[in-house]
Amino acid sequence: MKQETIDMVLKFRDDRNWRQFHNPKDLAISVSLEAAELLEVFQWSADDLICENKREKIKEELADVVNYCILMADACGLDLDEIVQAKVKRNSEKYPVELAYGNKSKYTELKKEKA
Ligand SMILES: [Mg+2]
């Protein structure tokens, strides 16, 4: 995540004196609500495998999700790059390429399938 982007999101919050409202609980709720708005873009859609005609709405809602993630990370003193990279490393251990390549099974099933 570019520091410039993080600073822009935090400045938007601070210019409005909204930090006082940004506790972890309400930010977690906001991440989830914005994720639901992203999902809503596809509700009742027959052609939900493409995003061409939904691109603008997807951009808006995805940005809302990421903005709240930035605010939540700040409220909890977390570095987004660090936690995302750590998660990818953990997922790499749960989903080794030799077991998971081209296979969408959950990690708990992968080793059973191999055996
Ligand atoms: Mg939204």
Side-chain angles (χ1 to χ4, degrees), residues 33-34 37-38 57 60-62 64-65 68:
L33 290 175
E34 293 301 341
E37 288 181 12
L38 178 60
K57 194 65 183 158
E60 189 175 324
E61 299 308 340
L62 189 56
D64 284 342
V65 171
Y68 274 118

Side-chain angles (χ1 to χ4, degrees), residues 44-56:
W44 309 122
S45 171
D47 55 354
D48 59 357
L49 297 180
I50 60 169
C51 59
E52 284 312 310
N53 58 346
K54 304 172 181 72
R55 204 169 181 80
E56 289 308 309

Side-chain angles (χ1 to χ4, degrees), residues 90-101 107 110-111:
R90 285 199 304 279
N91 285 344
S92 296
E93 292 163 11
K94 283 161 65 174
Y95 294 93
V97 173
E98 61 272 17
L99 294 181
Y101 187 81
Y107 70 96
L110 285 175
K111 287 181 180 146

Side-chain angles (χ1 to χ4, degrees), residues 1 4 9 11 13 21-22 27 37 54 58 60 66 69-70 74 81 85 94-95 98 112:
M1 173 79 44
E4 176 189 0
V9 172
K11 183 179 184 324
R13 175 199 65 192
F21 307 119
H22 288 184
L27 291 168
E37 288 181 12
K54 304 172 181 72
I58 290 168
E60 189 175 324
V66 174
C69 289
I70 291 169
D74 183 69
D81 288 314
Q85 289 175 24
K94 283 161 65 174
Y95 294 93
E98 61 272 17
K112 291 180 199 167

